[in-house]
Amino acid sequence: MAAGLSLWLWRSRCRALLSRPAGAVRAHRGLAARPEMHFGFQSVTEEERREKIYQVFENVAKKYDVMNDSMTLGIHRVWKDILMHKMNPCPGTLLLDVAGGTGDIAFRFINYVRSVRQRQLQRKLKHHQNLSWQEIFDSYQKDQFNSLGDSQVVVCDINREMLKVGKQKAQHLGYSEGLSWVLGNAEELPFDDDKFDVYTIAFGIRNVTRIDLALQEAYRVLKPGGRFLCLEFSRVSNPLLSRLYDLYSFQVIPVLGEVIAGDWRSYQYLVESIRQFPPQEELKAMIEDAGFFKVDYENLNFGIVAIHSGFKL
């Protein structure tokens, strides 16, 4: 009797499954097959990872710059300066800075281009020793109104709070010329194809949900001949330094997060996300897979961070 009942239940389940619309079965399979991703050391769905990361940066936005100085002892400023010198932008460059909400790269870009323009003007005037005072004055006045030589930097970030902080900094520091702010997702950029000369992403690519999609979008929006530059925490090469770095990261940084920003968990995630991020050679291969050529990287401070570079040819 029990065996007959079991057989009847099994047949009923089969009939119920077969009677479902095909689309419902496919949707069920798609849900079951949805790949898990990492949020730090946790396994989460793609949607959960996106939501959690957004919340992290919404939480830390107001203390983001202070924490960067505290966590790196100010060295992040040197790393960003090195990135800018590696870029070496000239007047007229159109830069897209992705995940750059607080403006650190954008402000450096503006300062760098202004400095180049100033040197160009000085060289020009030196070659014209017979200029009158009025002509020299007029040249400086003209340069003052076009100090970037038509250069532009677009800051694109998915997080409204980060953009808000960046805009406030720009206003406080007096940056307005050649600078715009766009709310957008690195995996689906709101820009036309072949638009920018340079694409930068500094300490942001490990926080996108799909790195492969972000790299494809970087390739799409760059002009032929355009350059991709990524500054990111990476894999430390020295074994002794690696152990000390782990000790500092896991024992000190979350405590700083709690003391300075009142947020232990967000900075615990940021530390864990660095350990989950692909090492230098693996990221290089991913950049090449996106279509970039002449891809290389430079380790800074024994690989605590690395700058990856590639060109769209």
Side-chain angles (χ1 to χ4, degrees):
M1 181 70 179
L5 180 60
S6 297
L7 180 61
W8 179 81
L9 287 171
W10 179 78
R11 285 175 176 170
S12 297
R13 287 173 182 167
C14 288
R15 281 196 299 270
L17 182 60
L18 291 172
S19 66
R20 287 182 186 176
V25 175
R26 282 195 296 271
H28 178 74
R29 286 177 180 168
L31 183 64
R34 185 176 297 164
E36 287 191 334
M37 310 190 82
H38 291 291
F39 176 77
F41 292 159
Q42 301 176 42
S43 292
V44 296
T45 65
E46 185 173 318
E47 290 79 4
E48 287 173 334
R49 174 178 161 83
R50 184 175 288 109
E51 291 171 5
K52 285 177 177 289
I53 290 175
Y54 188 94
Q55 191 62 52
V56 164
F57 284 93
E58 193 168 69
N59 292 343
V60 306
K62 292 180 180 178
K63 295 291 185 178
Y64 185 77
D65 290 331
V66 175
M67 277 300 299
N68 279 348
D69 282 334
S70 301
M71 289 188 301
T72 68
L73 305 179
I75 300 174
H76 75 100
R77 297 172 181 269
V78 177
W79 296 333
K80 291 168 183 173
D81 288 340
I82 293 172
L83 176 70
M84 194 53 54
H85 282 278
K86 195 174 184 72
M87 183 196 305
N88 190 24
C90 60
T93 298
L94 183 57
L95 168 66
L96 174 63
D97 182 39
V98 175
T102 59
D104 272 8
I105 300 301
F107 303 154
R108 281 171 169 78
F109 172 81
I110 291 172
N111 291 342
Y112 194 98
V113 173
R114 281 177 177 169
S115 178
V116 171
R117 285 280 292 169
Q118 184 68 18
R119 291 197 299 271
Q120 288 177 344
L121 178 63
Q122 289 174 350
R123 286 196 297 267
K124 176 183 174 182
L125 293 177
K126 283 181 180 179
H127 284 90
H128 295 82
Q129 296 292 336
N130 58 341
L131 291 178
S132 67
W133 172 85
Q134 186 63 46
E135 288 171 324
I136 293 174
F137 177 80
D138 290 342
S139 293
Y140 270 105
Q141 287 295 103
K142 181 181 178 181
D143 184 67
Q144 183 179 0
F145 289 108
N146 191 20
S147 63
L148 293 177
D150 299 322
S151 293
Q152 294 279 332
V153 53
V154 179
V155 179
C156 181
D157 201 296
I158 197 172
N159 193 286
R160 292 181 185 276
E161 281 299 312
M162 294 289 281
L163 286 173
K164 181 180 177 181
V165 171
K167 290 177 183 178
Q168 290 171 345
K169 281 176 60 182
Q171 185 176 12
H172 176 71
L173 296 172
Y175 292 102
S176 58
E177 179 193 5
L179 174 63
S180 57
W181 308 85
V182 174
L183 184 70
N185 187 345
E187 300 164 44
E188 194 175 355
L189 292 169
F191 306 109
D192 294 334
D193 297 355
D194 306 327
K195 183 176 178 63
F196 296 95
D197 300 302
V198 184
Y199 171 113
T200 53
I201 183 164
F203 303 115
I205 200 166
R206 77 180 189 282
N207 296 308
V208 302
T209 306
R210 291 275 304 276
I211 294 174
D212 58 336
L213 294 183
L215 292 173
Q216 290 169 22
E217 280 292 271
Y219 186 88
R220 180 183 66 79
V221 301
L222 279 170
K223 297 176 183 177
R227 190 175 191 183
F228 169 86
L229 286 166
C230 172
L231 172 63
E232 188 53 88
F233 289 108
S234 201
R235 199 62 56 90
V236 177
S237 55
N238 182 286
L240 177 59
L241 179 59
S242 180
R243 288 194 291 272
L244 293 173
Y245 181 48
D246 280 346
L247 183 65
Y248 174 76
S249 297
F250 287 100
Q251 300 300 321
V252 177
I253 289 178
V255 175
L256 288 174
E258 180 64 29
V259 171
I260 296 173
D263 191 341
W264 176 293
R265 290 189 177 184
S266 291
Y267 286 95
Q268 180 71 25
Y269 154 73
L270 291 173
V271 170
E272 293 175 358
S273 70
I274 295 169
R275 300 313 185 276
Q276 297 284 23
F277 189 68
Q280 289 90 323
E281 283 292 330
E282 189 175 332
L283 180 59
K284 177 185 175 185
M286 294 176 73
I287 297 169
E288 290 171 337
D289 287 344
F292 289 99
F293 289 86
K294 293 182 65 65
V295 179
D296 61 13
Y297 61 86
E298 177 184 357
N299 284 330
L300 305 178
N301 295 96
F302 299 97
I304 289 178
V305 300
I307 298 176
H308 281 74
S309 170
F311 293 87
K312 177 178 177 177
L313 301 181

